[in-house]
Amino acid sequence: MNPEPYFRLHAFICTNRRPDGHKRGSCAARGAEPLRDYLKARTKELGIAGVRINAAGCLDRCELGPVMVIYPEGIWYNFHSYEDIDEILDSHLLKGGRVERLMLRPEDGPPPKG
Amino acid sequence: MNPEPYFRLHAFICTNRRPDGHKRGSCAARGAEPLRDYLKARTKELGIAGVRINAAGCLDRCELGPVMVIYPEGIWYNFHSYEDIDEILDSHLLKGGRVERLMLRPEDGPPPKG
């Protein structure tokens, strides 16, 4: 049997940076880092219990970036603004809902490699 | 409804490094990086479908490091050798089992902060 979860929700934000001009681009080149910092700071300010915000290496969905994945649900988002982050914070991390307009499905690609 | 998972199993290995002498230590100072590289390379060599191996920032269980967490199950392991990694690869990532002797439970600490 699996133990109780250590974190209720565990978000991983890709902050990988590739050189300028790389054909896949990268989340950092698309502006991930300040949005990740903002999400981490606001989660702390709001005192949202049981939520951990982590940076991660390349999540391999570079073309759709910046991206994050929230576990254990396995919900993927892309995001481009502080307003997007505020909506993920409020609707998902605080209230347990989904931000449908930002969600990525497997069919949004690219096909996972392995 | 949640979409199908993009990755069947998604492992995050802390590779955070703190300065020598920090009271909590860090996973990199405890030897995480070569073990993470080995896990990533062996997963690719074995062609394990649907598994992604990622580096992550501090997972906040530094005292127990090196640590990884595998989602969506939320199973935590600590590991200290290539043999430990081989066992996680074979028993968990390939066969879907658990490596009980390396598993961390919430009560192993430290208490999560938020």
Side-chain angles (χ1 to χ4, degrees):
Chain A
M1 204 175 79
N2 293 340
E4 289 297 298
Y6 185 71
F7 296 120
R8 182 174 63 81
L9 293 175
H10 201 168
F12 295 90
I13 296 107
C14 176
T15 55
N16 187 49
R17 181 177 294 277
R18 289 208 180 90
D20 290 347
H22 190 286
K23 66 178 180 180
R24 296 194 71 190
S26 63
C27 288
R30 293 193 170 92
E33 288 166 318
L35 295 170
R36 180 261 179 184
D37 293 346
Y38 177 74
L39 175 58
K40 192 168 176 79
R42 286 293 292 152
T43 299
K44 189 171 179 183
E45 282 166 11
L46 294 168
I48 309 179
V51 172
R52 177 79 180 170
I53 309 296
N54 264 110
C58 177
L59 298 176
D60 215 19
R61 303 188 84 179
C62 321
E63 297 81 354
L64 303 171
V67 297
M68 74 172 79
V69 56
I70 302 176
Y71 282 110
E73 301 146 334
I75 301 294
W76 291 73
Y77 290 116
N78 75 350
F79 49 91
H80 298 282
S81 66
Y82 295 110
E83 290 73 20
D84 289 348
I85 296 292
D86 282 334
E87 195 171 341
I88 293 167
L89 265 164
D90 185 62
S91 299
H92 192 136
L93 301 181
L94 265 171
K95 297 178 182 161
R98 303 287 179 265
V99 184
E100 296 281 343
R101 70 179 184 89
L102 301 176
M103 276 174 65
L104 298 176
R105 276 77 176 177
E107 59 269 27
D108 294 324
K113 283 189 305 224
Chain B
M1 204 176 80
N2 292 341
E4 289 297 298
Y6 185 71
F7 297 120
R8 182 174 62 83
L9 293 175
H10 201 168
F12 294 90
I13 297 105
C14 177
T15 56
N16 189 49
R17 183 178 292 278
R18 289 210 181 88
D20 289 346
H22 189 286
K23 67 178 179 180
R24 296 194 72 189
S26 63
C27 288
R30 293 193 169 95
E33 288 167 317
L35 295 171
R36 180 260 180 186
D37 293 346
Y38 177 74
L39 175 58
K40 191 168 178 81
R42 286 294 291 152
T43 300
K44 189 170 178 182
E45 283 166 12
L46 295 168
I48 310 179
V51 173
R52 177 81 181 169
I53 309 296
N54 264 109
C58 177
L59 298 176
D60 214 21
R61 305 187 84 179
C62 321
E63 296 82 353
L64 303 171
V67 297
M68 74 172 79
V69 56
I70 302 177
Y71 283 110
E73 301 146 334
I75 300 294
W76 290 73
Y77 290 116
N78 74 351
F79 49 91
H80 299 283
S81 66
Y82 296 110
E83 289 74 19
D84 289 348
I85 296 292
D86 282 333
E87 194 171 341
I88 293 168
L89 265 164
D90 185 61
S91 298
H92 192 136
L93 301 182
L94 265 172
K95 297 178 182 161
R98 302 286 179 268
V99 185
E100 296 282 342
R101 69 179 185 89
L102 301 176
M103 275 175 66
L104 298 176
R105 276 77 177 176
E107 58 270 27
D108 293 324
K113 284 190 304 227

